[in-house]
Amino acid sequence: MPILPIIENPPKPSWKSLLTRPVIEPDGLRDTVREILEDVKAHGDPAVDKYAQRFDKTFLKERRVSQQELEEAASHLSEELKTAIRQAKKNIETYHRQQLTVEPVVETVPGIRCWRRSSAIEKVGLYIPGGTAPLFSTLLMLGVPARLAGCEEIVVCSPPQKDGSLHAAVLYTANLLGIQRVFKVGGIQAIAAMAFGTQTIPAVYKIFGPGNQYVTQAKKAIQQDGIAIDMPAGPSELAVYADDTASASFVAADLLSQCEHGSDSQVILVTDHRDFAVQVNDSLASQLEKIPRKSVAMKSLGNSKIIILDDPAVSIEFLNEYGPEHLILVCRDAEMLAEMVRNAGSVFIGNYAPESAGDYASGTNHTLPTNGFARAYGGVGVDSFVKKISFQQISREGLEAIGKTVIEMATAEGLEAHAEAVRIRLGT
Amino acid sequence: MPILPIIENPPKPSWKSLLTRPVIEPDGLRDTVREILEDVKAHGDPAVDKYAQRFDKTFLKERRVSQQELEEAASHLSEELKTAIRQAKKNIETYHRQQLTVEPVVETVPGIRCWRRSSAIEKVGLYIPGGTAPLFSTLLMLGVPARLAGCEEIVVCSPPQKDGSLHAAVLYTANLLGIQRVFKVGGIQAIAAMAFGTQTIPAVYKIFGPGNQYVTQAKKAIQQDGIAIDMPAGPSELAVYADDTASASFVAADLLSQCEHGSDSQVILVTDHRDFAVQVNDSLASQLEKIPRKSVAMKSLGNSKIIILDDPAVSIEFLNEYGPEHLILVCRDAEMLAEMVRNAGSVFIGNYAPESAGDYASGTNHTLPTNGFARAYGGVGVDSFVKKISFQQISREGLEAIGKTVIEMATAEGLEAHAEAVRIRLGT
């Protein structure tokens, strides 16, 4: 039996059901999350401790990571890993630095100068999942743009390991980024703590970072309380469009790299070559035997499929409807097809652009919209850590030029005092 | 009795309570909103009709505005108003066009080219409040950047007047912008319809626009369902910083223009001159008599105050803590102080820059963060209508340059298949 089902030229009305994502929200999740948020909001640290004990089975006297722990982390890591983290940091910086932009002043009419200035969000919170893997790469992906933006107070929360510590690679990365406010707390209680503040964990204005369904639901919920988040999140996903110029074994390796993330991941391969589809299935079968997280990957493969579409333009239309987090294009005219992509988080072009390059070290950000949210959201960048303030400087001449317009419109909207603020200045 | 209470040099610990906003969320609002959202999601148009009848006392056979209605609107407006709307549109376009940016390609290491491309959000919804005033200016402020961004499907919802029509100025503006999908529906049911789609109203990916507390709560709630919104909103507000170079009557006029918006508006005047504070209070008293919406303004003035702070730098610190939607600076060194502003929606500089200039016609956007959300959000711009997709093109040489780094980091994170996707390509 082939690993992935192959569906040939599905008619357009069937696309929506073909592209259904794995369901991610268990019943009652919203209520549970709201209850914990309110408890932490009302009681602070004791509530955080209560849920940490209940869910993570950890009891810690001190949640804040000490300066000593941050500094000593380097001694627990190999030179190879430290070099790798530093190279990734450098590439991420090189790429993200281009996003620091200064906008021009626009004189809309003589005497009216308008402009915007980017201003860092002063207090931000970064959530770094622990769980099955210590995601220090995510700390790089969030910490580098936060630093470049100039955020003053960067708070990091990450669930402790069984021994009550954070993984040395997470601590080393935090220290490398000059982040000092690192707390050993995870889950809903971590999001609640950063949203409302506790006796030890400072409140922030915006919270970033991936997480399981509990963390995700908590992030969505705190938006109701006016705290901003990077984006809603669902399980990670990858779509590949490949023709016969692609390597079946490379593509199979990419699909598996996505599938090892979690059992709710999803991959979609679209191709115009039936033979290629069969080759990828064969390669999946043999490569699957070699990976340590085989059982996880098997489950994600169960959410996944291969779609045959004869026309490349139709394939891109299909992929735009899906709006994948990651999209790999390995085909003729890949750059032209890339121009047609409208809904995707990050696009990888060519046989030598595996998703894992962007996950770690090519420089682009790996915090990306999942679950079709690419239709409305882009990935995290420096812009995610600033807000733009608009300014205008108006001379008497400038106000004279638009005065009549303002008075006319304000009067039509029934806002007479708005008109009066112009009249009193111009003596009209 | 002075109109506004004057508070002299309040100590820093008292700032937070001084800067409290009027409470805006009634008990039970969240549940009511969720119930209506679910009903419209499940039943579509009939549910929309039910709530329109219940809340707006309107019963319409046809909710969609016809092409004829759009085209005929012009004949119901004065030439002066049409000229004003066209001038405002032109200035808003001039200013926002600068926000259409193309980012450079960055070669992070030789063989790895990375870039981002802005892609319009295909389907957006604009909510235009009716209520006490037909806000066609808001339609300009949302429609112009949506058009510049290139959004394909722009849906407008606005509550009908008692006679079942939309105000001619709203229809004229929609037609001027080339927006054809205009629907006569308001309130929670309008947000629900655009979020989930009904038989007649298309679902969109992101919803924009101000509204009363019901609309605001509905917008916040649909984020839980994965629909994006421009920003959370609260009542409109204005802060003014003025020294003795300011005109007391101009400042009083600006405060009143803000206060006429709604009884839950708030204004804060900060000054280093006691005499000036008294003059503004006197001027408020006399100007208040002249405005038609006096009773509304009186209520907002009850939420408002004058603060005396002797040091301009402390004043800006105070204002940054407040994070006002609108901030007027009329003082010496205003440009220098403007540079120190970190939390505000839009800043107006000088004696001839009333808020109403920016509300209508200077070119900047008037959809701005209220309620302190300026700490994490900027106002609406072209960026609000696009999302940025990242791209990377990697050669074999490029992958070789970062291969070791990716393998090292993936292995440390326990993601072996991620490492394998690189190894299989490089034969290592």
Side-chain angles (χ1 to χ4, degrees):
Chain A
M1 212 183 92
I3 299 272
L4 293 178
I6 298 177
I7 297 147
E8 294 204 33
N9 289 305
K12 214 172 161 179
S14 71
W15 288 5
K16 202 175 170 183
S17 65
L18 269 179
L19 294 174
T20 305
R21 266 104 174 162
V23 173
I24 51 172
E25 189 180 314
D27 280 346
L29 180 59
R30 289 186 193 199
D31 293 339
T32 309
V33 164
R34 178 47 62 189
E35 200 178 299
I36 296 175
L37 291 177
E38 295 301 333
D39 197 4
V40 171
K41 188 179 181 178
H43 302 108
D45 284 337
V48 169
D49 286 336
K50 181 172 77 183
Y51 295 108
Q53 281 184 269
R54 186 180 304 171
F55 299 126
D56 304 338
K57 317 287 177 218
T58 59
F59 180 76
L60 299 178
K61 276 182 97 165
E62 176 61 55
R63 300 213 161 266
R64 181 161 178 173
V65 170
S66 69
Q67 191 56 34
Q68 196 185 344
E69 285 175 278
L70 285 170
E71 284 164 14
E72 283 178 2
S75 64
H76 301 299
L77 301 180
S78 70
E79 285 312 315
E80 288 74 16
L81 182 56
K82 284 184 281 189
T83 303
I85 292 174
R86 285 194 305 267
Q87 196 201 0
K89 174 168 178 277
K90 182 163 167 283
N91 293 350
I92 298 165
E93 281 168 349
T94 302
Y95 175 69
H96 286 78
R97 194 171 287 122
Q98 297 292 331
Q99 297 171 7
L100 289 165
T101 53
V102 175
E103 295 186 12
V105 176
V106 185
E107 191 160 23
T108 52
V109 295
I112 303 186
R113 299 170 69 238
C114 305
W115 68 98
R116 293 197 302 181
R117 172 163 60 74
S118 289
S119 183
I121 299 174
E122 289 175 80
K123 302 176 187 190
V124 296
L126 316 181
Y127 185 81
I128 308 300
T132 50
L135 297 185
F136 54 89
S137 62
T138 298
L139 184 49
L140 280 179
M141 293 293 175
L142 299 174
V144 167
R147 274 271 167 250
L148 285 172
C151 299
E152 259 186 31
E153 200 168 316
I154 302 174
V155 175
V156 171
C157 284
S158 188
Q161 304 173 107
K162 277 180 194 149
D163 67 357
S165 70
L166 292 186
H167 192 283
V170 171
L171 297 178
Y172 173 78
T173 304
N175 198 45
L176 197 62
L177 290 163
I179 296 174
Q180 276 132 18
R181 293 179 186 82
V182 183
F183 298 90
K184 301 169 192 174
V185 53
I188 304 169
Q189 60 272 24
I191 303 301
M194 291 193 281
F196 306 118
T198 70
Q199 295 82 346
T200 56
I201 303 172
V204 300
Y205 303 144
K206 188 170 183 177
I207 298 178
F208 296 76
N212 60 21
Q213 58 195 4
Y214 299 99
V215 168
T216 296
Q217 180 56 34
K219 280 177 63 191
K220 285 204 278 184
I222 54 158
Q223 293 183 100
Q224 296 242 15
D225 304 277
I227 292 102
I229 66 167
D230 48 357
M231 69 190 88
S236 196
E237 64 206 13
L238 166 68
V240 178
Y241 176 71
D243 64 15
D244 61 341
T245 66
S247 152
S249 61
F250 294 4
V251 167
D254 292 335
L255 297 176
L256 285 179
S257 77
Q258 183 57 53
C259 284
E260 77 172 337
H261 266 295
S263 51
D264 50 6
S265 284
Q266 186 176 55
V267 296
I268 304 278
L269 167 62
V270 180
T271 180
D272 56 353
H273 279 69
R274 283 157 193 76
D275 292 352
F276 184 77
V278 174
Q279 287 162 26
V280 169
N281 254 336
D282 291 347
S283 190
L284 280 173
S286 65
Q287 290 190 49
L288 191 54
E289 297 309 314
K290 287 183 276 180
I291 64 169
R293 293 166 71 101
K294 180 184 167 186
S295 64
V296 170
M298 285 288 286
K299 285 189 192 137
S300 327
L301 288 167
N303 307 322
S304 304
K305 16 184 113 66
I306 299 176
I307 311 286
I308 311 281
L309 284 167
D310 291 328
D311 180 345
V314 173
S315 296
I316 298 298
E317 198 188 339
F318 180 85
L319 290 162
N320 277 330
E321 184 150 331
Y322 185 50
E325 180 190 13
H326 307 96
L327 173 61
I328 299 181
L329 301 176
V330 218
C331 51
R332 287 179 200 85
D333 306 318
E335 283 188 80
M336 197 198 71
L337 292 177
E339 283 294 308
M340 293 163 62
V341 173
R342 302 170 66 165
N343 298 322
S346 198
V347 181
F348 298 74
I349 302 169
N351 260 309
Y352 288 90
E355 187 203 309
S356 49
D359 283 345
Y360 290 109
S362 64
T364 59
N365 209 290
H366 80 199
T367 311
L368 296 165
T370 53
N371 201 33
F373 296 128
R375 289 186 278 254
Y377 292 87
V380 164
V382 173
D383 359 344
S384 313
F385 291 92
V386 304
K387 72 271 179 181
K388 289 184 176 168
I389 305 175
S390 61
F391 293 85
Q392 57 204 289
Q393 200 169 28
I394 306 183
S395 67
R396 185 176 169 112
E397 178 204 10
L399 191 60
E400 277 167 354
I402 61 165
K404 212 176 150 221
T405 291
V406 174
I407 292 167
E408 194 68 45
M409 291 175 74
T411 305
E413 288 193 344
L415 297 171
E416 206 42 56
H418 281 63
E420 192 54 33
V422 174
R423 282 198 207 99
I424 200 170
R425 282 170 164 91
L426 300 180
T428 53
Chain B
M1 213 182 92
I3 300 272
L4 293 179
I6 299 176
I7 296 147
E8 296 204 33
N9 287 306
K12 214 171 159 178
S14 71
W15 289 5
K16 202 176 170 182
S17 64
L18 270 179
L19 294 174
T20 305
R21 265 106 174 160
V23 173
I24 50 170
E25 189 181 314
D27 281 345
L29 180 58
R30 288 185 193 200
D31 293 339
T32 309
V33 164
R34 178 47 62 190
E35 201 178 298
I36 296 175
L37 292 178
E38 295 300 335
D39 197 4
V40 172
K41 187 178 182 179
H43 302 107
D45 285 337
V48 169
D49 286 336
K50 181 173 77 182
Y51 295 109
Q53 281 184 267
R54 186 182 304 171
F55 299 128
D56 305 338
K57 317 287 178 218
T58 58
F59 180 75
L60 299 178
K61 275 182 98 166
E62 177 62 54
R63 300 215 162 266
R64 181 160 178 175
V65 171
S66 68
Q67 191 57 33
Q68 197 186 344
E69 285 176 277
L70 284 170
E71 283 165 15
E72 282 178 3
S75 64
H76 301 300
L77 300 181
S78 71
E79 286 310 316
E80 289 75 16
L81 182 55
K82 285 184 280 188
T83 304
I85 292 173
R86 285 195 303 266
Q87 195 200 2
K89 175 169 176 277
K90 183 165 166 281
N91 293 349
I92 298 165
E93 281 169 349
T94 303
Y95 175 68
H96 286 78
R97 195 169 287 123
Q98 297 293 329
Q99 297 170 8
L100 289 166
T101 53
V102 175
E103 297 186 12
V105 176
V106 184
E107 190 161 23
T108 52
V109 295
I112 302 186
R113 299 170 68 237
C114 306
W115 68 97
R116 292 197 303 182
R117 172 164 59 74
S118 290
S119 183
I121 299 173
E122 289 175 80
K123 302 176 187 192
V124 297
L126 316 181
Y127 185 82
I128 308 300
T132 51
L135 297 185
F136 54 88
S137 62
T138 299
L139 184 49
L140 281 179
M141 293 293 176
L142 299 175
V144 167
R147 275 270 167 251
L148 286 172
C151 299
E152 258 186 33
E153 199 169 317
I154 302 175
V155 176
V156 171
C157 283
S158 188
Q161 305 174 108
K162 276 179 195 149
D163 68 357
S165 70
L166 292 186
H167 192 283
V170 171
L171 297 179
Y172 173 77
T173 304
N175 199 43
L176 198 61
L177 291 163
I179 296 174
Q180 275 131 19
R181 291 179 187 84
V182 183
F183 298 90
K184 302 170 191 174
V185 52
I188 303 168
Q189 59 273 24
I191 303 301
M194 292 192 282
F196 306 118
T198 70
Q199 294 81 346
T200 57
I201 303 173
V204 300
Y205 304 144
K206 187 169 183 177
I207 297 177
F208 296 77
N212 60 22
Q213 58 197 1
Y214 299 99
V215 169
T216 297
Q217 180 57 31
K219 280 175 62 191
K220 284 204 278 183
I222 54 158
Q223 293 183 97
Q224 295 241 14
D225 304 277
I227 291 102
I229 65 167
D230 49 355
M231 67 189 89
S236 195
E237 63 204 16
L238 166 68
V240 179
Y241 176 71
D243 64 15
D244 60 342
T245 66
S247 153
S249 61
F250 293 3
V251 168
D254 292 334
L255 297 176
L256 286 179
S257 77
Q258 183 57 53
C259 284
E260 76 172 339
H261 266 296
S263 52
D264 50 6
S265 285
Q266 185 177 55
V267 297
I268 304 278
L269 168 62
V270 180
T271 180
D272 56 353
H273 280 70
R274 284 158 193 76
D275 292 352
F276 183 78
V278 174
Q279 288 162 24
V280 169
N281 255 335
D282 291 346
S283 190
L284 279 174
S286 66
Q287 291 190 49
L288 191 54
E289 296 309 315
K290 287 182 277 180
I291 65 169
R293 292 165 71 98
K294 180 183 166 186
S295 64
V296 170
M298 285 289 287
K299 285 190 192 138
S300 324
L301 288 167
N303 306 322
S304 303
K305 13 184 114 68
I306 299 176
I307 311 287
I308 310 281
L309 285 167
D310 291 329
D311 180 345
V314 174
S315 296
I316 299 297
E317 197 187 342
F318 179 85
L319 290 162
N320 277 330
E321 186 151 328
Y322 184 51
E325 180 190 13
H326 306 96
L327 172 61
I328 299 180
L329 301 175
V330 216
C331 52
R332 287 179 200 85
D333 306 319
E335 282 188 80
M336 198 197 72
L337 292 177
E339 283 294 308
M340 293 162 63
V341 172
R342 301 170 65 165
N343 298 322
S346 196
V347 181
F348 299 74
I349 302 170
N351 260 310
Y352 289 90
E355 187 205 310
S356 48
D359 283 343
Y360 291 108
S362 64
T364 59
N365 209 292
H366 81 198
T367 310
L368 297 165
T370 54
N371 201 34
F373 296 129
R375 290 186 277 255
Y377 291 88
V380 163
V382 173
D383 357 346
S384 312
F385 291 91
V386 304
K387 72 271 180 184
K388 291 183 175 169
I389 305 174
S390 61
F391 293 85
Q392 57 204 289
Q393 200 167 27
I394 306 183
S395 67
R396 186 177 168 112
E397 178 202 10
L399 191 60
E400 277 168 353
I402 61 166
K404 211 176 153 221
T405 290
V406 173
I407 292 167
E408 194 67 48
M409 290 175 73
T411 305
E413 289 193 345
L415 296 171
E416 204 43 56
H418 280 64
E420 193 54 32
V422 174
R423 280 197 209 100
I424 198 169
R425 283 170 163 92
L426 300 181
T428 53

